[in-house]
Amino acid sequence: MGVGGEKFQLGTVGALGLSVVSSVSIVICNKALMSSLGFNFATTLTSWHLLVTFCSLHVALWMKFFEHKPFDSRTVMGFGVLNGISIGLLNLSLGFNSVGFYQMTKLAIIPCTVILETLFFRKKFSRSIQMSLSVLLLGVGVATVTDLQLNAVGSVLSLLAIITTCIAQIMTNTIQKKFKVSSTQLLYQSCPYQSLTLFLVGPFLDGFLTNQNVFAFDYTSQVVFFIVLSCLISVSVNFSTFLVIGKTSPVTYQVLGHLKTCLVLTFGYVLLHDPFSWRNILGILIAVVGMVLYSYFCTVETQQKSIEVSQQQVKETESSPLISDSLSKVENGGGDADDEPLKVPMWSSKYSRA
């Protein structure tokens, strides 16, 4: 595959590893904060996460760890606000629905993303990929879904949460490729809009769901410690999220999310002694099989695409001397007056516009 391909694979593996470690860590930290210490203001806490992430990135920019690359401000604002709204809707969905229905909402994000990318981006998913995703979803469903209590308001909120989350994640991938910005540059520019949206909505949303005032909460030293720790871990979580989606795809990020769900269940049982059943174990095993199959088929398809691209480049290289000879004849006046005009191949103009 060459040095470039190996670097890309190492970068992707590093991003996936960072995402898994940071996400599992922050879930355990937040569980201790909410379950043990009673701080149940999830949306407000998320706004603080994003604010700390922005400040950290601003320091990194000042230290020249990355280059600021501004682009279309409307796109950044719309993307940031949409991300904030999707987080708020997910929290509302959890508040109005049972835990089982909320887990089904998260599971529905994968097929919804696949459908949207197929309809609007003409992206094709092979039967092998579809099969592995089905196995993964089945496993996570068995491991996490408990009860399915339906209600009209909760169903509408869940539907809106699914749609906004899918669009936001697809936009993350599309914006990075369209404007040629890195995950760090996009996160730096969108963080203020995400944070502001959640900071304005968070206290009201959390108050509505918990019947408590976030500003009247008793902030002991232990609570403050876990809040600060959660915010610091969130920098890694937010960065790795954009990094993974930029290097892979929204579907792969969702698959990774369900793997993290299984790991959180496992760590919860081992470290926090949460109740565990044979169904949890069976579901995790099925989900891991689905994850392995998805990774394998994605790797095979990626290698096939790389081989096809290499073969196409070889063909173009073999045909390029003919073009060079024709161009040199025209430049040197070697062509006859009655010759046909020089015809530049279609692929040449296509790449010049990219």
Side-chain angles (χ1 to χ4, degrees):
M1 289 180 63
V3 178
E6 290 177 0
K7 287 183 178 179
F8 177 80
Q9 283 193 337
L10 288 174
T12 303
V13 171
L16 294 172
L18 178 64
S19 179
V20 170
V21 172
S22 57
S23 295
V24 173
S25 301
I26 201 170
V27 167
I28 295 173
C29 178
N30 288 348
K31 187 165 186 178
L33 182 62
M34 296 179 181
S35 300
S36 303
L37 302 176
F39 188 86
N40 296 312
F41 310 102
T43 308
T44 304
L45 180 62
T46 304
S47 72
W48 296 346
H49 287 170
L50 290 165
L51 181 61
V52 171
T53 300
F54 175 73
C55 293
S56 303
L57 290 175
H58 195 68
V59 172
L61 178 65
W62 178 70
M63 297 178 69
K64 297 183 179 179
F65 284 125
F66 71 97
E67 182 182 352
H68 179 45
K69 185 179 179 181
F71 57 98
D72 189 10
S73 58
R74 290 183 181 179
T75 302
V76 175
M77 184 183 298
F79 170 71
V81 172
L82 181 65
N83 256 321
I85 291 173
S86 70
I87 295 171
L89 285 171
L90 282 171
N91 287 335
L92 273 175
S93 174
L94 181 58
F96 277 88
N97 295 304
S98 64
V99 176
F101 193 82
Y102 175 71
Q103 290 295 340
M104 287 300 295
T105 298
K106 293 178 69 176
L107 288 177
I109 292 175
I110 281 186
C112 182
T113 304
V114 170
I115 291 171
L116 288 177
E117 289 195 313
T118 302
L119 291 177
F120 295 101
F121 294 92
R122 299 291 187 268
K123 189 173 181 178
K124 295 182 179 180
F125 296 87
S126 65
R127 290 186 179 179
S128 301
I129 295 292
Q130 294 174 13
M131 181 271 291
S132 60
L133 289 176
S134 301
V135 174
L136 173 75
L137 294 175
L138 173 64
V140 178
V142 170
T144 60
V145 174
T146 52
D147 55 330
L148 294 176
Q149 300 174 4
L150 302 177
N151 65 82
V153 177
S155 299
V156 171
L157 289 172
S158 292
L159 179 62
L160 292 174
I162 291 169
I163 294 173
T164 53
T165 303
C166 290
I167 294 174
Q169 291 179 359
I170 291 173
M171 282 183 68
T172 302
N173 184 269
T174 305
I175 289 173
Q176 288 190 52
K177 292 179 178 177
K178 179 179 178 181
F179 294 100
K180 293 181 174 58
V181 292
S182 67
S183 54
T184 310
Q185 291 168 333
L186 177 58
L187 181 60
Y188 175 72
Q189 295 191 66
S190 62
C191 251
Y193 299 107
Q194 294 183 61
S195 179
L196 182 61
T197 302
L198 292 176
F199 188 77
L200 293 176
V201 175
F204 299 101
L205 183 58
D206 289 333
F208 177 73
L209 295 175
T210 63
N211 293 321
Q212 292 179 302
N213 187 350
V214 64
F215 301 110
F217 188 80
D218 182 20
Y219 289 91
T220 63
S221 58
Q222 196 173 11
V223 171
V224 172
F225 170 78
F226 275 98
I227 289 175
V228 172
L229 180 61
S230 178
C231 288
L232 292 176
I233 298 174
S234 72
V235 177
S236 177
V237 173
N238 290 323
F239 174 71
S240 62
T241 297
F242 281 67
L243 195 62
V244 168
I245 297 177
K247 284 185 171 294
T248 56
S249 69
V251 174
T252 300
Y253 176 72
Q254 284 300 321
V255 170
L256 187 69
H258 292 310
L259 173 64
K260 290 184 280 190
T261 299
C262 294
L263 289 174
V264 168
L265 286 173
T266 305
F267 278 109
Y269 173 71
V270 174
L271 300 178
L272 305 176
H273 305 291
D274 288 343
F276 221 58
S277 67
W278 64 268
R279 193 184 67 181
N280 298 129
I281 299 173
L282 176 62
I284 289 174
L285 291 175
I286 295 173
V288 169
V289 170
M291 177 70 184
V292 171
L293 289 173
Y294 177 80
S295 301
Y296 172 75
F297 291 131
C298 280
T299 303
V300 170
E301 291 185 7
T302 301
Q303 290 177 346
Q304 288 177 346
K305 289 180 181 178
S306 299
I307 293 172
E308 290 174 1
V309 170
S310 300
Q311 291 175 345
Q312 184 179 358
Q313 289 176 346
V314 169
K315 290 180 180 178
E316 291 173 358
T317 304
E318 291 175 349
S319 62
S320 61
L322 296 176
I323 300 172
S324 301
D325 291 342
S326 300
L327 287 172
S328 62
K329 281 185 179 181
V330 173
E331 290 172 356
N332 298 325
D336 295 332
D338 296 331
D339 287 344
E340 292 183 1
L342 177 65
K343 295 181 179 179
V344 181
M346 290 300 293
W347 53 262
S348 176
S349 58
K350 172 185 172 183
Y351 287 134
S352 67
R353 291 195 298 269

